[in-house]
Amino acid sequence: MYSWMWSKLPGQWPVKLIITLIIAVAVFFLLMEVVFPWVSSMMPYNEVAV
C-alpha cells in the first residue's frame, strides 16, 4: 500500500517526503480534533458513578 502511495505522489523523493509528512500531520490533526473526541463521547467511562 505504501509503495503504491509513494509511486502516485509527484516529484522526486525529497518532494514526495515533504508531501508525505504534510499528509501524515493532516491525518494526525484530523484524528485529534474530530475523530477521537467523537469516539470519546461514546465511551462508557464517561458515565462513572461512585
Side-chain angles (χ1 to χ4, degrees):
M1 180 175 106
Y2 296 113
S3 63
W4 176 82
M5 289 171 45
W6 188 260
S7 67
K8 297 299 178 191
L9 292 174
Q12 299 296 325
W13 75 267
V15 176
K16 290 181 179 187
L17 181 63
I18 292 170
I19 293 172
T20 303
L21 290 174
I22 291 171
I23 291 171
V25 169
V27 168
F28 172 77
F29 280 115
L30 177 70
L31 287 171
M32 293 305 266
E33 295 294 325
V34 177
V35 177
F36 293 155
W38 174 71
V39 171
S40 177
S41 68
M42 302 169 87
M43 297 302 285
Y45 60 78
N46 287 337
E47 301 168 8
V48 176
V50 178

